[in-house]
Amino acid sequence: IALLFAEMEGGPQLPNAKPREKFARRLTESVAGLARDRDSLAVRQAGLHALGRITPIAAQAMPVFEEALQKDEEPGARRLAAYALSEVAANARASAFSDRLKTLELVVRAAGLGLRTNDDEQVRGHCLQGAEEAARALMDYILDFPGVTREDL
């Protein structure tokens, strides 16, 4: 089910995408429950993958990613949680203007946590990519203000 939810939303949002609510975003709580499943690694991993792709409600999704990055003993689950940070940051561009900044803040916080608590090279690399994607999305956020150009920055 989690993989179906992930595929319903397609790929990351384009940088200039217009803010719109995505259907699967409403499933954040359900997908987060799958991502926390302790009985099945496959379900947990599918849930983490889906949670990154559905443009989740960040306040509900980030604690799940942080928990996986800190406590999951399976490197595959930690890697998926770290990778999802990039997807959440990229998709934040299509979020309502008022939600964008909070989402990016939460992504950077989770990426920092992942960097501090993991020795796994892939987890650390994905956390760095998540922070980098958040920085790009923040630049786009700033450029959305009237009269601001790249030359101003």
Side-chain angles (χ1 to χ4, degrees), residues 3-144:
L3 293 176
L4 175 65
F5 292 156
E7 296 309 314
M8 285 172 35
E9 290 302 336
Q13 298 299 303
L14 298 174
N16 296 325
K18 298 278 188 228
R20 62 181 171 83
E21 182 171 83
K22 297 179 84 175
F23 166 76
R25 179 181 176 94
R26 297 180 209 151
L27 302 172
T28 300
E29 189 174 340
S30 298
V31 176
L34 295 172
R36 285 186 161 133
D37 187 292
R38 291 289 160 216
D39 295 329
S40 170
L41 174 61
V43 170
R44 191 163 68 248
Q45 288 180 326
L48 288 165
H49 169 70
L51 198 56
R53 298 215 13 144
I54 65 170
T55 310
I57 298 166
Q60 293 176 8
M62 286 304 135
V64 176
F65 296 136
E66 290 174 353
E67 183 180 311
L69 287 167
Q70 279 187 296
K71 299 177 183 175
D72 205 304
E73 295 182 13
E74 293 294 333
R78 290 194 315 273
R79 290 170 186 162
L80 284 165
Y83 182 79
L85 299 176
S86 294
E87 293 186 306
V88 172
N91 287 333
R93 290 178 173 100
S95 297
F97 195 77
S98 59
D99 293 337
R100 240 183 278 177
L101 193 56
K102 186 62 177 173
T103 296
L104 297 174
E105 175 190 350
L106 293 172
V107 167
V108 170
R109 187 178 75 188
L113 178 72
L115 287 167
R116 286 191 306 277
T117 60
N118 281 278
D119 292 331
D120 184 271
E121 185 176 314
Q122 289 182 30
V123 171
R124 293 176 63 78
H126 288 314
C127 286
L128 287 171
Q129 288 173 339
E132 181 181 19
E133 188 60 45
R136 280 193 211 106
L138 180 59
M139 176 70 78
D140 293 341
Y141 176 86
I142 293 168
L143 290 171
D144 281 345

